[in-house]
């Protein structure tokens, strides 16, 4: 037992958690007592004896769990545990519950964890739809309702869409560029373990006096600065989720820039790598803004600062500027990795090179640059300076152009191809093109100021975000999971169940979200627990469709779980793809490659006889191989 | 490489976009229109719907044709043609969308200028938003005050001067197509010219707390005579402590704060 407590792991983590909480609690009590203040301050925005432990307890857990052991030993001059990669690989299910530094294990941890949060967020959505099935209040009280849609959005955005893309890329990207792991494996593991912490903090806010945070995921001041305790849980949870996101983005940037296999120049990178490079640039630049905005609200709340207190010279509108300076780029953070996934899948299953590969890569960079200049289109009716509206409208409309280039290029890839539609991954990719186009069109409408004035803060906006985030991001997530499932598990999923899931999801998505456009345009505001009775029929239909959509996801879960355990063996390359991850075994060996592959051509050279993307280690040094650079990449420590 | 049936595809796109546009334009998407400003906005929407139908038709026809023509037979393991791109085509589908969206942007800008034209003869109504109620003051009519309901004469431009007393609220009458946030500490306004008599609803569209759903007010648009009669019936004046300008407003809030040690819901609390 004593040995178990000294070892990094769950026992030591639990002790760390308790000690961390006790430290935070004690600190607050002691400092307040010394200062002659009431020891327990329980005005609604206060509760320092709860919010401070909420910050210290997770750190205590992480110390105990072993996230910092290596760094501490090294900093203290003690002998470090030799980096023999003993933390690599997973040999039993227990290894997935450890501080594991293997990018493939971390990728799996990410995907499974975020799918659990997807289910939780989905259940919250179904509660919302149950309440809205009929006009009038039936199931929940008004402020509980506000808490439901706020947590639904936060869980889906911060704990499902953003991190599951990071998880898929974590698994696939190092393999794709011929790297043995990510550049910073320990930072990678820390990034993952910050996530469940953020999720638990968000969901724990339901237990706080006054209920879960209920100022929307946008948390506009001054509603948020005066809200009950739950809002502080949101402020703190965002810090953990944001730190996880930023650390992962740094890791991707360094990995992509420095660890590509010899011969893989920028124009030989698969588009998924380009997409994650672009996404990481957005995360590193933008995510600090949401962290900053939430810190400012937090300080207003518990330290009595006046960032957004208009009575003391604070500026209410500035919250929205800072928040959207992150949160508009965030929608591209939630979409660009999906663009990468779809590019891979369409090229592979159409047996054709991606049409206009270089323009596809440049369009991603164009989106990155433009997305920093469009934030204020969320604020056309917010009372900001008038002059900013038209310039922001122009940049907002222009950002549709690189997005359009991508849609046309995917279509161009299909022309003159050999399109295989047996894979559920391909079905989701094709459906994505159509559904995302609808979301893009409603986005252009929202960008046009006179239309936006009428429909902003209505169900039209709800319809738009769900078309781009569900019909866009989530379709690409499903496509990605189906596509790489054989690589990650070594087994094949059931295509028949995949089709059931596909059709249920596509039909459910359209039936749920299309009528939202109509009721919104006609006059139904968003974020309301009750609505005018004339929208009753449409809302009933939306709710029924939403339950169909929710039920269909159970088919997906069943398929994934059962296939992971009992599915037929998949083979190394079931889709006959060219990129490097398909040239290794399924699942890949612990260190990915015995010998770093050499890249000798583009990633999508389908149709050119004899063309190769990469020469794998162990293959003969053929005379036709043009690359001569020696392999210098070594395993990172 | 077989030639594409360009002509047939263009025809299909035109037919499909015409069918879509005709169907889409049958519906009254934005609901009843009851203001002068609603006219150009609704026309803008219709133009956008036609252009969107065209873009959507291109995507559908291209995807449909590709699936019809190049779907692989089961067991076919051959590859497609190794086409890497076509610079001319790529330039076309970059430049044409740029022109299209800039055109829409210019048109929107023109509409925006149009709907925000101020009329000197406008009626000013001070609009006070608080959790979870609307009240209205008529500075031109002896500073008369009404709660939860306001009346305006038909055909005359109205300026709503918005003031929020606690958190952000938003002023929206769907039939008028206009919306503007009421922001604490900031004076915002919104212009509208009602042109249809009737009773409408003012809806708060910015989440403002647990009562947000119920934060509505009654809007009555009537003839000048009826309006004059109604305003005479109003006996209350705007209370002194409802502030008229930003400075007075801030001054008053400060006094309140000193008296009571905090304003509920504003997030301002004194220890």
């Amino acid at each position: 037992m004593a040995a178990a407590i000294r070892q990094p792991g769950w026992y030591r983590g639990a002790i760390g958690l308790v000690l961390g909480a006790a430290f935070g609690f004690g600190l607050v009590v002691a400092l307040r007592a010394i200062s002659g203040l009431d020891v327990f301050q329980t005005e609604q925005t206060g509760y320092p004896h709860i919010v401070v432990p909420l910050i210290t307890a997770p750190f205590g857990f992480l110390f105990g769990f072993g996230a910092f052991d290596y760094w501490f030993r090294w900093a203290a001059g003690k002998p470090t545990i030799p980096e023999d990669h003993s933390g690599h690989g997973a040999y039993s299910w227990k290894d997935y519950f450890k501080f594991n530094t293997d990018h493939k294990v971390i990728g799996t941890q990410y995907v499974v964890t975020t799918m659990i949060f997807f289910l939780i967020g989905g259940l919250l959505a179904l509660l919302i739809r149950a309440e809205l099935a009929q006009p009038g209040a039936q199931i929940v009280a008004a402020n509980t309702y506000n808490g439901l849609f706020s947590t639904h959005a936060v869980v889906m955005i911060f704990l499902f869409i953003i991190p599951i893309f990071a998880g898929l890329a974590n698994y696939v990207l190092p393999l794709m560029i011929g790297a043995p792991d990510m550049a910073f494996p320990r930072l990678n593991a820390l990034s993952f373990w910050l996530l469940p912490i953020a999720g638990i903090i968000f969901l724990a806010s339901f237990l706080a006096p006054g209920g879960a945070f209920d100022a929307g995921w946008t948390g506009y001041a001054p509603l948020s600065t005066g809200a009950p305790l739950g809002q502080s849980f949101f402020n703190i949870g965002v810090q953990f989720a944001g730190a996880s996101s930023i650390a992962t983005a740094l890791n991707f940037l360094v990995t992509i820039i420095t660890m590509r296999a010899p011969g893989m120049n920028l124009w030989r990178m698969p588009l998924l790598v380009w997409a994650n490079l672009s996404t990481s640039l957005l995360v590193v630049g933008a995510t600090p803004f949401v962290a900053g905005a939430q810190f400012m609200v937090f300080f207003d709340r518990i330290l009595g600062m006046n960032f957004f207190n208009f009575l003391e010279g604070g500026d209410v509108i500035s919250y929205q500027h800072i928040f959207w300076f992150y949160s508009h780029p965030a929608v591209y953070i939630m979409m660009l990795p999906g663009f990468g996934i779809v590019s891979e899948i369409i090229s592979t299953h159409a047996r054709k090179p991606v049409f206009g590969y270089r323009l596809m890569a440049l369009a991603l960079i164009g989106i990155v640059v433009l997305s920093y200049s469009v934030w204020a289109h969320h604020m056309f009716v917010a009372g900001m300076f008038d002059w900013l509206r038209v310039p922001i409208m122009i940049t907002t409309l222009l950002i549709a152009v690189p997005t359009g280039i991508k849609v046309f290029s995917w279509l161009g890839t299909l022309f003159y191809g050999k399109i295989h539609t047996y894979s559920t991954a391909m079905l989701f990719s094709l459906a994505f093109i159509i559904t995302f186009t609808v979301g893009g069109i409603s986005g252009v409408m929202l960008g046009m100021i006179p239309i936006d004035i009428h429909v902003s803060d209505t169900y039209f906006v709800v319809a738009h975000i769900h078309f781009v985030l569900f019909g866009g991001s989530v379709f690409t997530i499903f496509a990605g999971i189906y596509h790489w499932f054989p690589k990650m598990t070594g087994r094949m999923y059931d295509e028949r169940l995949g089709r059931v899931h596909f059709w249920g999801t596509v039909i459910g998505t359209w039936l749920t979200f299309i009528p939202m456009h109509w009721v919104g345009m006609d006059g139904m505001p968003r974020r309301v627990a009750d609505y005018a009775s004339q929208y009753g029929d449409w809302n009933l239909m939306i709710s029924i469709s939403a339950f169909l959509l929710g039920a269909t996801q159970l088919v997906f879960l069943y398929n994934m779980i059962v296939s992971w355990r009992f599915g037929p063996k998949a083979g190394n390359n079931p889709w006959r793809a060219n990129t490097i991850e398909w040239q290794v075994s399924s699942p890949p060996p612990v260190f990915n490659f015995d010998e770093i592959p050499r890249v000798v051509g583009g990633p999508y050279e389908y149709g050119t006889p004899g063309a190769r993307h990469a020469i794998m280690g162990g293959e003969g040094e053929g005379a036709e191989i043009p690359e001569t650079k020696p392999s210098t990449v070594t395993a990172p420590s | 490489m077989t030639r594409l049936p360009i002509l047939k595809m263009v025809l299909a796109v035109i037919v499909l976009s015409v069918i879509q546009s005709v169907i889409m334009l049958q519906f009254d998407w934005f609901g009843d229109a009851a203001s002068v400003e609603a006219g150009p906005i609704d026309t803008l929407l219709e133009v956008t719907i036609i252009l969107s139908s065209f873009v959507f038709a291109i995507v559908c026809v291209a995807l449909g044709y590709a699936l019809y023509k190049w779907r692989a037979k089961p067991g076919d393991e051959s590859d497609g043609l190794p086409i890497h791109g076509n610079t001319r085509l790529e330039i076309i589908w970059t430049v044409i969308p740029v022109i299209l969206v800039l055109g829409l942007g210019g048109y929107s800008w023109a509409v925006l200028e149009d709907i925000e034209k101020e009329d000197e003869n406008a009626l000013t109504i001070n609009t006070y938003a608080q959790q979870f109620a609307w009240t209205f003051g008529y500075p031109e009519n002896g500073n008369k005050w009404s709660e939860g309901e306001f009346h305006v004469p038909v055909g005359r431009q109205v300026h709503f001067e918005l003031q929020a007393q606690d958190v952000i609220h938003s002023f929206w009458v769907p039939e008028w197509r206009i919306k503007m946030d009421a922001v604490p500490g900031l004076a915002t306004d919104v212009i509208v010219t009602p042109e249809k008599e009737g009773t409408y609803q003012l809806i708060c569209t910015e989440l403002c707390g647990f009562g947000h759903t119920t934060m509505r007010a009654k809007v009555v648009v009537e003839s000048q005579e009826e309006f004059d009669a109604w305003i005479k019936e109003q006996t209350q004046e705007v209370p002194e402590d409802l502030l008229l300008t930003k400075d007075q407003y801030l001054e008053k809030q400060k006094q309140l704060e000193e008296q009571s040690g905090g304003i509920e819901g504003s997030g301002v609390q004194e220890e």
Side-chain angles (χ1 to χ4, degrees):
Chain A
M1 189 66 197
I5 288 168
R6 266 199 300 277
Q7 287 295 315
W10 286 99
Y11 289 121
R12 220 181 71 178
I15 294 168
L17 183 78
V18 172
L19 289 180
F23 170 74
F25 186 81
L27 190 71
V28 168
V29 169
L31 287 179
R32 286 189 72 92
I34 292 168
S35 317
L37 297 164
D38 293 340
V39 171
F40 300 110
Q41 196 264 59
T42 53
E43 284 171 41
Q44 68 172 10
T45 60
Y47 291 98
H49 56 283
I50 293 180
V51 296
V52 173
L54 201 59
I55 300 168
T56 54
F59 281 103
F61 167 74
L62 288 171
F63 288 137
F65 196 57
F68 303 106
D69 275 23
Y70 186 95
W71 291 327
F72 278 151
R73 283 170 182 276
W74 185 83
K78 283 188 189 169
T80 53
I81 298 167
E83 189 57 18
D84 58 355
H85 295 272
S86 54
H88 267 60
Y91 303 94
S92 83
W93 63 271
K94 285 180 185 164
D95 289 332
Y96 287 97
F97 293 86
K98 285 181 181 155
F99 192 80
N100 199 310
T101 53
D102 183 340
H103 76 97
K104 297 183 292 297
V105 176
I106 295 172
T108 309
Q109 288 173 327
Y110 258 107
V111 173
V112 172
T113 309
T114 49
M115 285 311 297
I116 292 168
F117 282 111
F118 175 53
L119 291 182
I120 296 171
L123 288 175
L124 292 169
L126 293 183
L127 276 174
I128 294 170
R129 284 319 315 177
E131 170 59 47
L132 291 178
Q134 284 182 353
Q138 291 94 21
I139 295 177
V140 292
N143 49 345
T144 315
Y145 178 82
N146 291 355
L148 285 180
F149 68 70
S150 303
T151 42
H152 162 70
V154 166
V155 166
M156 287 302 201
I157 290 168
F158 291 111
L159 288 158
F160 173 54
I161 295 180
I162 293 176
I164 199 169
F165 279 132
L168 282 169
N170 227 308
Y171 199 102
V172 174
L173 191 140
L175 289 162
M176 254 184 179
I177 62 171
D181 204 316
M182 295 279 277
F184 307 116
R186 277 184 294 272
L187 186 66
N188 200 16
L190 177 62
S191 303
F192 166 71
W193 285 100
L194 288 171
L195 261 194
I197 290 173
I200 290 166
I201 291 174
F202 288 140
L203 295 174
S205 73
F206 277 107
L207 306 174
F213 50 93
D214 58 0
W217 84 278
T218 49
Y220 275 12
L223 184 63
S224 55
T225 54
L229 177 60
Q231 193 67 34
S232 295
F233 282 60
F234 172 65
N235 300 146
I236 295 168
V238 167
Q239 308 304 333
F240 284 100
S244 158
S245 196
I246 294 169
T248 302
L250 284 170
N251 221 336
F252 278 137
L253 283 177
V254 177
T255 308
I256 294 169
I257 291 168
T258 66
M259 291 179 64
R260 279 167 289 137
M264 180 174 279
N265 60 36
L266 286 185
W267 298 120
R268 284 176 181 168
M269 293 197 315
L271 283 169
L272 182 87
V273 180
W274 269 105
N276 277 285
L277 180 69
S278 319
T279 308
S280 301
L281 288 172
L282 281 174
V283 170
V284 169
T287 308
F289 282 82
V290 74
Q294 297 316 320
F295 266 130
M296 289 158 93
V297 169
F298 188 59
F299 290 162
D300 272 14
R301 291 169 57 80
I302 69 160
L303 299 180
M305 290 191 179
N306 298 315
F307 289 112
F308 308 120
N309 179 356
F310 63 100
L311 295 173
E312 300 293 343
D315 183 5
V316 170
I317 295 273
S318 65
Y319 174 84
Q320 296 171 37
H321 281 295
I322 305 168
F323 178 82
W324 288 115
F325 197 78
Y326 161 75
S327 293
H328 198 78
V331 307
Y332 294 99
I333 292 170
M334 292 185 266
M335 200 59 259
L336 297 188
F339 288 172
I341 290 172
V342 165
S343 301
E344 299 298 326
I345 294 172
I346 287 184
S347 173
T348 304
H349 289 271
R351 314 303 305 159
K352 240 192 98 220
V354 169
F355 195 93
Y357 165 85
R358 291 194 179 205
L359 191 62
M360 286 289 261
L362 291 174
L364 287 168
I365 300 298
I367 291 173
V368 169
V369 173
L370 274 173
S371 74
Y372 280 109
S373 68
V374 299
W375 80 95
H377 66 224
H378 297 270
M379 301 167 60
F380 285 150
V381 297
M384 65 168 184
F385 0 90
D386 288 346
W387 62 264
L388 189 56
R389 295 180 302 172
V390 170
I392 290 281
M393 168 172 73
I394 301 298
T395 52
T396 302
L397 295 178
L398 281 177
I399 207 166
V401 175
T403 316
I405 289 172
K406 302 203 76 79
V407 170
F408 294 132
S409 299
W410 289 319
L411 293 170
T413 308
L414 294 174
F415 275 60
Y416 297 106
K418 295 272 182 178
I419 306 167
H420 293 277
T421 49
Y422 58 86
S423 152
T424 311
M426 184 63 166
L427 294 178
F428 267 110
S429 302
L430 296 174
F432 158 80
I433 294 178
I434 296 284
T435 316
F436 184 72
T437 302
V438 175
I441 287 171
S442 61
V444 168
M445 289 178 163
L446 283 164
M448 296 158 69
I449 302 168
I451 294 180
D452 182 74
I453 290 175
H454 178 62
V455 294
S456 95
D457 279 313
T458 66
Y459 256 81
F460 188 84
V461 175
V462 180
H464 166 70
I465 55 167
H466 284 94
F467 251 84
V468 289
L469 288 184
F470 204 100
S473 308
V474 179
F475 277 25
T476 65
I477 288 167
F478 285 140
I481 290 178
Y482 281 117
H483 189 64
W484 282 293
F485 183 84
K487 182 52 64 184
M488 296 171 82
T489 63
R491 291 179 184 273
M492 207 50 173
Y493 60 88
D494 185 333
E495 295 284 10
R496 251 198 359 252
L497 289 177
R499 267 160 205 267
V500 172
H501 175 229
F502 168 75
W503 286 110
T505 304
V506 170
I507 294 169
T509 303
W510 280 67
L511 292 182
T512 306
F513 301 119
I514 282 281
M516 288 187 183
H517 292 96
W518 305 338
V519 293
M521 284 169 139
D522 199 42
M524 179 168 161
R526 70 191 288 206
R527 293 173 165 172
V528 288
D530 186 13
Y531 49 86
S533 51
Q534 79 235 45
Y535 307 122
D537 292 345
W538 282 125
N539 272 289
L540 182 61
M541 177 189 155
I542 292 170
S543 290
I544 292 171
S545 311
F547 276 88
L548 166 76
L549 187 57
T552 308
Q553 307 317 313
L554 297 177
V555 179
F556 168 73
L557 270 191
Y558 173 82
N559 194 359
M560 291 294 107
I561 293 169
V562 172
S563 304
W564 195 349
R565 187 85 177 81
F566 302 111
K569 290 265 188 278
N572 292 353
N573 194 356
W575 315 124
R576 300 184 293 126
N578 274 1
T579 42
I580 299 174
E581 82 273 26
W582 297 104
Q583 317 309 323
V584 297
S585 63
S586 300
V590 175
F591 293 106
N592 296 356
F593 310 101
D594 297 330
E595 197 181 312
I596 297 299
R598 283 171 305 140
V599 176
V600 295
Y604 309 114
E605 297 301 332
Y606 300 103
T608 309
R612 297 286 299 272
H613 174 49
I615 307 289
M616 303 304 290
E619 293 188 50
E621 299 276 320
E624 82 283 4
I625 300 166
E627 293 293 326
T628 50
K629 277 184 197 160
S631 167
T632 52
V633 177
T634 51
S637 59
Chain B
M1 184 164 144
T2 48
R3 287 189 65 84
L4 288 175
I6 303 277
L7 197 67
K8 280 185 192 163
M9 290 171 73
V10 170
L11 268 174
V13 167
I14 292 172
V15 169
L16 191 58
S17 50
V18 167
I19 293 172
Q20 275 180 35
S21 303
V22 168
I23 295 173
M24 294 281 280
L25 293 179
Q26 295 308 306
F27 298 97
D28 194 7
W29 295 111
F30 280 179
D32 296 335
S35 74
V36 173
E37 289 74 14
I41 296 177
D42 290 5
T43 312
L44 177 65
L45 177 75
E46 282 166 8
V47 171
T48 313
I49 283 177
I50 292 169
L51 283 175
S52 306
S53 302
F54 177 64
V55 173
F56 190 63
I58 292 175
V59 174
C60 288
V61 168
L63 184 64
Y65 184 75
L67 283 176
Y68 159 75
K69 180 86 183 172
W70 291 292
R71 200 150 159 190
K73 292 180 182 67
D76 181 358
E77 298 221 335
S78 62
D79 285 346
L81 287 178
I83 306 165
H84 286 84
N86 178 329
T87 309
R88 203 199 301 169
L89 205 54
E90 288 166 39
I91 290 173
I92 288 173
W93 69 44
T94 309
V95 172
I96 290 181
V98 168
I99 297 170
L100 205 65
V101 296
L102 287 182
L104 279 176
Y107 182 19
S108 302
W109 192 359
V111 171
L112 185 68
E113 294 283 314
D114 195 18
I115 61 176
E116 293 193 337
K117 245 185 250 147
E118 293 191 29
D119 185 352
E120 282 178 14
N121 189 31
L123 171 72
T124 299
I125 299 181
N126 291 316
T127 307
Y128 311 98
Q130 58 183 299
Q131 290 171 326
F132 301 98
W134 297 96
T135 57
F136 308 88
Y138 289 80
E140 292 165 26
N141 303 75
N143 219 10
K144 288 281 180 58
W145 194 47
S146 89
E147 293 176 271
E149 175 178 353
F150 74 92
H151 290 222
V152 286
V154 69
R156 184 175 169 196
Q157 195 177 73
V158 190
H159 287 194
F160 293 92
E161 306 284 342
L162 306 176
Q163 293 175 358
Q165 321 216 352
D166 34 43
V167 299
I168 303 172
H169 303 276
S170 194
F171 179 102
W172 185 40
V173 180
E175 290 81 2
W176 289 350
R177 310 282 189 268
I178 47 91
K179 183 182 290 128
M180 180 53 78
D181 283 5
V183 185
L186 199 69
T188 56
D189 60 21
V190 63
I191 295 170
V192 70
T193 315
E195 65 168 2
K196 231 190 229 172
E197 293 183 27
T199 307
Y200 308 98
Q201 203 172 35
L202 167 59
I203 300 171
C204 175
T205 47
E206 187 65 66
L207 178 64
C208 59
F210 69 89
H212 168 59
T213 304
T214 57
M215 186 168 163
R216 308 277 167 108
K218 189 175 163 194
V219 181
V220 178
V221 182
E222 58 201 5
S223 67
Q224 186 70 44
E225 297 78 48
E226 286 168 312
F227 173 73
D228 290 338
W230 176 79
I231 203 93
K232 268 198 199 109
E233 284 170 24
Q234 304 308 309
T235 49
Q236 274 184 297
E237 281 190 14
V238 175
E240 287 279 309
D241 56 349
L242 270 180
L243 297 151
L244 304 179
T245 68
K246 183 181 170 185
D247 287 344
Q248 287 169 309
Y249 177 66
L250 290 175
E251 185 61 31
K252 194 74 195 173
Q253 293 287 22
K254 272 216 172 97
Q255 286 171 11
L256 267 175
E257 192 190 349
E258 279 156 19
Q259 285 161 14
S260 66
I263 302 160
E264 199 185 341
S266 69
V268 183
Q269 256 135 5
E270 300 270 302
E271 292 256 327

